[in-house]
Amino acid sequence: MSPINLGEIPAAPQNNDELAATHPSLETLQLLATRRSTVARMLTEPGPNAEEVKTLLRLASRVPDHGKLAPWRFIVFEGNARQAFGDKLVEIFKKNEPSADHERQEFERQRFMRAPIVIALISRVQPHPKIPEWEQVLSAGAVGQIILIAASAMGYAVQWITEWLAYDDDVNKLLKLSEGERVAGIFYLGTAQGPITERARPMPGNLITHWSAS
Ligand SMILES: Cc1cc2nc3c(=O)[nH]c(=O)nc-3n(C[C@H](O)[C@H](O)[C@H](O)COP(=O)(O)O)c2cc1C
């Protein structure tokens, strides 16, 4: 269970409620300075409970969204649904890779069992006269990053991965995706089985230029 008392997280503000323009928070900055994903195979129980998942996805949905289209949705896999999904996933895998050995097949069957909770983030782009597809996809990406940050702040370890299943038409059918929908990420949430270590990071200095007219 999360060390955070969900009751202390503000309820969803109502439209046009007055809000603080800034939230100076050293804790938030400390989290951002050290946040790190935990690989799915390192995850174990406990994961977030139903109330925590609901809160997590409410917070993750508070992202910039040009046109207020909410161009994303979530599919939650918990309990037996993870295994039931794996039982169907492995059939698709065997069709794609008939020569794969038993061990690999079993990996696919158990794929979602690596974490107590698995959440698929679905990008759903809708044709719009003013809002380009690109901006709708970016908005879904922002949701993904908030899932990482909010899960970490709730005390859970998490990884955002896609792997082959995010790009397979049969898996899309299994997920019951509609036209314009794509898997933006599959989020594995739980508790880290052991310590994690930092990965190589880009040097911001190499990525920043300052524009000038000359
Ligand atoms: C859209 C997206 C898809 C990803 N898919 C994979 C994947 O399939 N396999 C993988 O090993 N990492 C994948 N990653 C990277 C993992 O999230 C990886 O754990 C990440 O680089 C760790 O970075 P962090 O510690 O800053 O969160 C993906 C990342 C993103 C944003």
Side-chain angles (χ1 to χ4, degrees):
M1 190 163 163
S2 170
I4 302 297
N5 174 7
L6 292 191
E8 291 185 46
I9 301 175
Q14 298 302 302
N15 199 21
N16 294 324
D17 274 0
E18 193 173 311
L19 298 172
T22 64
H23 296 265
S25 163
L26 182 58
E27 268 190 89
T28 302
L29 298 174
Q30 287 167 333
L31 185 159
L32 294 175
T34 55
R35 182 207 60 78
R36 173 83 172 99
S37 295
T38 301
V39 290
R41 71 182 143 74
M42 289 274 294
L43 295 174
T44 189
E45 300 281 351
N49 63 29
E51 199 56 33
E52 289 164 345
V53 168
K54 209 169 140 194
T55 302
L56 177 73
L57 298 183
R58 169 168 71 86
L59 301 181
S61 298
R62 293 181 62 79
V63 294
D65 163 14
H66 194 178
K68 303 185 195 73
L69 300 175
W72 66 83
R73 65 184 179 92
F74 310 101
I75 305 173
V76 178
F77 299 82
E78 57 204 322
N80 295 339
R82 294 168 303 155
Q83 188 65 74
F85 182 81
D87 290 342
K88 293 193 181 297
L89 185 70
V90 72
E91 295 309 319
I92 297 172
F93 175 75
K94 284 197 273 190
K95 199 179 86 180
N96 293 349
E97 309 266 353
S99 58
D101 62 20
H102 180 72
E103 194 183 341
R104 183 63 209 278
Q105 290 177 12
E106 285 314 293
F107 175 81
E108 295 301 337
R109 194 187 300 281
Q110 302 299 329
R111 181 177 275 282
F112 279 14
M113 296 302 287
R114 289 181 290 177
I117 292 284
V118 179
I119 301 173
L121 168 62
I122 309 301
S123 153
R124 45 172 196 176
V125 168
Q126 29 203 300
H128 193 283
K130 290 203 182 121
I131 319 297
E133 172 175 339
W134 168 233
E135 296 187 7
Q136 298 184 42
V137 173
L138 287 172
S139 188
V143 173
Q145 188 59 28
I146 305 275
I147 291 175
L148 299 185
I149 294 167
S152 186
M154 279 186 181
Y156 295 105
V158 56
Q159 190 181 26
W160 173 354
I161 42 184
T162 44
E163 304 177 289
W164 69 271
L165 58 164
Y167 302 97
D168 185 281
D169 288 342
D170 289 329
V171 176
N172 286 348
K173 281 190 203 121
L174 182 59
L175 291 169
K176 304 186 183 90
L177 300 197
S178 305
E179 186 75 22
E181 292 193 325
R182 296 181 72 181
V183 175
I186 301 178
F187 293 77
Y188 295 79
L189 295 106
T191 298
Q193 286 182 40
I196 58 169
T197 53
E198 176 61 323
R199 67 173 173 87
R201 300 274 169 188
M203 301 292 287
N206 296 339
L207 305 173
I208 301 169
T209 55
H210 295 263
W211 187 85
S212 68
S214 58

